[in-house]
Amino acid sequence: MRNLLLTLCYDGAGYHGWQIQENAVAVQQVLQEAIEKVLQQKPDIKGCSRTDTGVHAHCFCVSMKTGHPIPCQRLQAALNHFLPPDMAVLSCREVPLSFHARYSCVGKEYEYVIWNSPVRSPFLRDRALHYWYPLDVEQLNRAAAHFVGPHDFTSFCTTDSRDRGDMTRTVTASHWRREGEKVIYTVAADGFLYNMVRILVGTMLRVAERKFTPEEMPRILQAKDRRKAGPTAPACGLYLNRVFYDPADLILPGEKGE
Amino acid sequence: MRNLLLTLCYDGAGYHGWQIQENAVAVQQVLQEAIEKVLQQKPDIKGCSRTDTGVHAHCFCVSMKTGHPIPCQRLQAALNHFLPPDMAVLSCREVPLSFHARYSCVGKEYEYVIWNSPVRSPFLRDRALHYWYPLDVEQLNRAAAHFVGPHDFTSFCTTDSRDRGDMTRTVTASHWRREGEKVIYTVAADGFLYNMVRILVGTMLRVAERKFTPEEMPRILQAKDRRKAGPTAPACGLYLNRVFYDPADLILPGEKGE
C-alpha cells in the first residue's frame, strides 16, 4: 500500500464544490472517476478542505491510498488525459502512510479577486467579483491588519455551520494589493471557519462603502455575532491558493530531508 | 445623424469570429441584436477587422451611424446590460461622420499568449496555446526582430486568402516576453494579412523546436511562399489588443484637439 499526494488546479465555475453529493457534479467525483479509469480500482481519496460551489483552486491537495504500483509521473499524465480541461493535476508524489491531506494540513492561503472597474471583464466572468465602486487599497489594508493574529472568528462564520467548538483561528497574513483593475486580498491562517474568507471580504467592502471604519473590525471580532459583520462575498472571487504541511510529514521513511 | 465609436472586449471562445454568417453565432450579430433592443432600430455597424473563430479582443473598435439621440454613456450602460457576460462595451464616443472603424484604422496590435508548462492551465483553456516544450524568449526574440520594418508577408499569409494586391505590411513592434509560465508575443503593424500573426507564431515555434534558426526568417520572407513558413498557430492564443487611429480623424468639428 502506498499513499500519494496529488495537487490539483481547477476552475470551480462548473462544479458544486469539492465534496461528492447527489444531483450535482463535484470535483471529488470527477477526480475519482478519472482515477478509476486509470487504475481500474475505486480509490479512497481525501481532500484538504471542502470548497464551496464556484470556488476555484490554484492548488488543492488530495491524498490517496492505493495498492497499485503505477509510477507517480505516469499517474499524473494519465489523469491529465482523462480529466476535463477545467481541471489539472499539477504534481504527484509518494508520502508516508500517516499523511492525510486534511488532518495533516497546518495552514492554508486563499486569494479573493475583485475586478474593480465600471465595466465587467469578459475574461473574468465567474472568476472574480465585479465591483464598480473605486476601492482604496490603503484603507482596505487598515481594516485587513486587524485580523492578523489569533482571534475568535465567530462573527465571520456562517451561523448553523459545520464549525463547532473552538472558533479561534490564527491569521498569519491578511493584506490587499492592486494589479491594474484587479484588487486582490490574500489571507493565510492555520485554519478557516465556514465562509470565513468571504465574510471577511464582504465586511471589508462595507469599509470601502463607508458603512464601517477600519477601526471597527476589532469590535466586530469581539462581538462573536455573525450579524455584526458584513455580507458574505460571492464564491466566484475565491481561490484556494496554497496548502501548508509540515515537511517532516511528507518525507518517506529512508528518504533524506533537505 | 451621428457616428459613434464603440470599443468592445470579448472572449472569442464562444463565437465564430466577428463577421455575421449563417448557422453560427458571430460577435457582430450579438452586438447588433443588443443595439436593436436598446435603440429599436436596426443599426449599421462596421468592425475594425474580421477576427477568426475563437480569436479574442481586449479592444475591438466598431463604428455605427444612427439618428437616435441616446447619450453615449446611456448607450454603453444599456448595451452592457443586454450583452452576454463574455462581451462588454468598454467605451462609447461620438466621432465625425467621415470616421470608419475599418478604413480609418492606421494600425493594430495583437498579442499571442502561450501557456508554457508541462501541465495545462484550467484557467486558460481556450485562452492560450498550451505548449509543453520550454521556450527560450531570447531565441524567440532573435527571430521576431527580423519581422520589424516593411516586408512582403506573402509567406505568412494563408493561400487562397482574401488578401490581394500589395502584400507589404510595416511591422512596428515584434517581441516576446515571459510572465511566469505565460510567454507572450506582441506584434504591431499598419495592417495584417489573413492569419499573419498565427503563422508568424507557428514559424517562431519551429525556431524553438530547432527546425529553423532565427537567421532563416529573412529567407522565408524573401521566398514569398506560404509553404516555406511554419504552421498556423491555433486561434485560441490570439488577442486583438489595440487599434490605432489618427487622432485628427476622431475629433468632432468644433471640438478642440488636446
Side-chain angles (χ1 to χ4, degrees):
Chain A
M1 182 68 68
R2 292 183 306 153
N3 195 12
L4 303 179
L5 166 58
L6 305 171
T7 59
L8 199 63
C9 175
Y10 57 83
D11 177 345
Y15 300 99
H16 277 68
W18 161 256
Q19 202 162 30
I20 286 186
Q21 53 198 283
E22 275 177 43
N23 305 321
V25 180
V27 175
Q28 184 180 14
Q29 180 193 335
V30 173
L31 177 63
Q32 205 159 288
E33 286 169 2
I35 295 171
E36 274 187 63
K37 274 186 199 149
V38 177
L39 303 186
Q40 303 290 321
Q41 296 174 350
K42 204 174 162 65
D44 174 30
I45 62 179
K46 310 290 182 191
C48 63
S49 75
R50 290 165 293 190
T51 59
D52 271 341
T53 298
V55 172
H56 314 288
H58 285 304
C59 179
F60 184 97
C61 291
V62 176
S63 56
M64 159 185 157
K65 289 194 176 140
T66 177
H68 201 289
I70 190 168
C72 283
Q73 264 201 306
R74 198 179 308 164
L75 176 61
Q76 183 191 358
L79 288 177
N80 282 331
H81 175 78
F82 284 114
L83 286 171
D86 55 5
M87 234 185 252
V89 175
L90 302 181
S91 69
C92 176
R93 60 175 287 183
E94 197 180 338
V95 288
L97 284 170
S98 56
F99 179 86
H100 186 292
R102 185 155 164 226
Y103 301 132
S104 302
C105 174
V106 295
K108 289 193 213 87
E109 180 187 280
Y110 282 93
E111 280 192 347
Y112 194 94
V113 180
I114 296 175
W115 179 249
N116 188 33
S117 168
V119 182
R120 67 171 169 264
S121 166
F123 297 104
L124 291 177
R125 60 185 201 280
D126 299 329
R127 297 195 188 164
L129 168 63
H130 180 207
Y131 193 82
W132 299 259
Y133 194 90
L135 290 170
D136 173 351
V137 167
E138 262 186 62
Q139 185 201 39
L140 288 170
N141 271 327
R142 279 201 301 279
H146 288 290
F147 301 120
V148 175
H151 296 289
D152 183 311
F153 281 95
T154 303
S155 297
F156 295 90
C157 174
T158 293
T159 337
D160 271 340
S161 87
R162 45 178 93 137
D163 295 296
R164 295 283 179 273
D166 187 10
M167 305 291 265
T168 300
R169 297 294 182 272
T170 300
V171 170
T172 50
S174 169
H175 50 79
W176 292 82
R177 71 182 191 277
R178 177 178 283 280
E179 290 180 1
E181 283 164 299
K182 274 190 197 168
V183 173
I184 302 165
Y185 176 56
T186 303
V187 59
D190 57 352
F192 288 88
L193 302 175
Y194 186 52
N195 280 343
M196 178 169 148
V197 183
R198 291 166 57 189
I199 302 170
L200 286 169
V201 169
T203 304
M204 288 187 277
L205 290 178
R206 283 283 160 105
V207 172
E209 293 154 13
R210 316 273 164 188
K211 282 167 192 151
F212 291 134
T213 66
E215 292 67 39
E216 279 175 282
M217 298 301 110
R219 192 181 53 71
I220 297 173
L221 280 166
Q222 281 149 28
K224 296 179 194 171
D225 179 351
R226 171 69 187 89
R227 293 166 301 174
K228 300 296 183 195
T232 306
C236 63
L238 189 60
Y239 294 73
L240 176 56
N241 207 31
R242 295 202 286 172
V243 187
F244 304 118
Y245 296 103
D246 183 337
D249 291 340
L250 298 170
I251 297 166
L252 288 171
E255 216 182 25
K256 258 192 198 164
E258 276 163 53
Chain B
M1 181 68 68
R2 292 183 306 154
N3 196 10
L4 302 179
L5 167 57
L6 304 171
T7 58
L8 199 64
C9 175
Y10 57 82
D11 176 344
Y15 300 99
H16 278 70
W18 162 256
Q19 201 162 31
I20 285 186
Q21 52 196 285
E22 277 177 39
N23 306 321
V25 181
V27 175
Q28 185 179 13
Q29 181 193 333
V30 173
L31 177 63
Q32 206 160 285
E33 287 169 2
I35 296 170
E36 275 187 63
K37 275 186 198 148
V38 177
L39 303 185
Q40 302 291 321
Q41 296 175 351
K42 204 176 160 67
D44 174 30
I45 61 178
K46 309 289 183 193
C48 62
S49 75
R50 291 166 293 190
T51 59
D52 272 341
T53 298
V55 172
H56 314 287
H58 284 304
C59 178
F60 185 98
C61 290
V62 176
S63 56
M64 157 184 159
K65 289 193 175 140
T66 178
H68 201 289
I70 189 168
C72 283
Q73 263 201 307
R74 199 180 305 166
L75 176 61
Q76 183 191 357
L79 288 177
N80 282 332
H81 175 76
F82 285 115
L83 286 171
D86 55 3
M87 235 185 252
V89 175
L90 302 181
S91 69
C92 176
R93 58 175 288 183
E94 196 180 337
V95 288
L97 285 169
S98 56
F99 178 86
H100 187 291
R102 183 155 165 225
Y103 301 131
S104 302
C105 174
V106 295
K108 289 194 212 89
E109 180 187 282
Y110 283 93
E111 280 192 347
Y112 194 93
V113 179
I114 296 175
W115 179 250
N116 188 33
S117 168
V119 181
R120 69 173 168 264
S121 166
F123 297 104
L124 292 176
R125 60 185 202 279
D126 299 327
R127 297 195 188 165
L129 168 63
H130 180 205
Y131 193 81
W132 299 258
Y133 194 90
L135 290 170
D136 174 352
V137 167
E138 262 187 61
Q139 185 203 38
L140 289 169
N141 271 327
R142 280 201 301 279
H146 289 290
F147 301 119
V148 176
H151 296 288
D152 183 310
F153 280 96
T154 303
S155 297
F156 296 90
C157 174
T158 294
T159 337
D160 272 340
S161 88
R162 42 178 94 136
D163 296 295
R164 295 281 179 273
D166 187 9
M167 305 291 266
T168 300
R169 297 293 182 273
T170 301
V171 170
T172 51
S174 169
H175 50 80
W176 292 84
R177 71 180 191 277
R178 177 178 284 279
E179 289 180 3
E181 283 163 299
K182 274 190 197 168
V183 173
I184 302 167
Y185 176 57
T186 302
V187 59
D190 58 352
F192 289 88
L193 302 175
Y194 187 51
N195 280 344
M196 180 169 146
V197 183
R198 291 166 55 188
I199 301 170
L200 285 169
V201 170
T203 305
M204 288 188 276
L205 290 178
R206 282 283 159 106
V207 172
E209 293 155 11
R210 317 272 164 187
K211 283 168 191 151
F212 291 135
T213 65
E215 293 65 39
E216 280 175 282
M217 299 300 111
R219 191 181 54 72
I220 297 173
L221 281 165
Q222 282 149 28
K224 296 177 195 171
D225 180 351
R226 172 68 188 89
R227 293 166 301 175
K228 300 294 183 198
T232 306
C236 63
L238 189 60
Y239 294 73
L240 176 56
N241 205 32
R242 295 202 287 170
V243 186
F244 304 118
Y245 296 103
D246 184 338
D249 291 340
L250 298 171
I251 297 168
L252 289 172
E255 215 182 26
K256 260 192 197 162
E258 277 162 54

